[in-house]
Amino acid sequence: MRVKIRKGDTVEVISGRLEDKGKRGEVINVMMKENRVVVQGVGIRTKHQRQVQTQAGRNVNPGRIQFEGPIDISNVMLVCPKCNEAARVRIQRDEAGAHRVCKSCEQLID
Ligand SMILES: [Zn+2]
């Protein structure tokens, strides 16, 4: 099972939509079941919003709302915080649990 990408990680988009390729951003949500992630600034979708009133009585302005849509987890690669490369990681297990190790610089990520 893929548990190599977690919320808060920085990832680089390696495939998928052309306009997103090469972009880096922070993972803001991981949807394990769907194998999808939401990455800040990536997979931007536009929703057309009509003027609505929320339960709190505030008006939400009509117009276009841009938000990040989920993208396939296989389209992103973890950016190693140690060497700043989009790197493959391997899992190393010891008494303390499972740790991620960057295959590029061999440093422990966490
Ligand atoms: Zn590294």
Side-chain angles (χ1 to χ4, degrees):
M1 196 169 138
R2 274 175 178 269
V3 284
K4 288 176 182 176
I5 288 170
R6 299 175 193 162
K7 202 170 163 180
D9 282 341
T10 297
V11 293
E12 186 172 310
V13 181
I14 50 160
S15 58
R17 297 204 312 191
L18 203 61
E19 68 258 45
D20 288 331
K21 259 187 211 174
K23 272 191 193 171
R24 286 184 179 192
E26 191 186 316
V27 175
I28 49 180
N29 200 8
V30 179
M31 298 146 89
M32 280 296 182
K33 263 190 243 163
E34 292 92 351
N35 271 322
R36 288 165 100 74
V37 287
V38 181
V39 181
Q40 202 154 47
V42 175
I44 298 294
R45 284 165 204 189
T46 305
K47 194 164 91 177
H48 295 273
Q49 174 80 58
R50 272 189 236 139
Q51 181 141 15
V52 288
Q53 204 164 39
T54 63
Q55 284 178 329
R58 283 189 317 145
N59 284 321
V60 175
N61 287 330
R64 292 159 63 203
I65 295 175
Q66 293 201 312
F67 66 102
E68 286 96 348
I71 59 168
D72 202 282
I73 205 162
S74 64
N75 286 350
V76 301
M77 256 178 114
L78 181 68
V79 174
C80 170
K82 300 282 161 54
C83 65
N84 204 34
E85 296 279 331
R88 292 182 188 285
V89 292
R90 60 185 170 83
I91 303 293
Q92 179 180 293
R93 287 174 201 281
D94 61 23
E95 314 83 61
H99 305 284
R100 295 181 298 177
V101 177
C102 171
K103 280 188 181 173
S104 170
C105 65
E106 289 296 320
Q107 295 227 51
L108 211 61
I109 293 169
D110 55 13

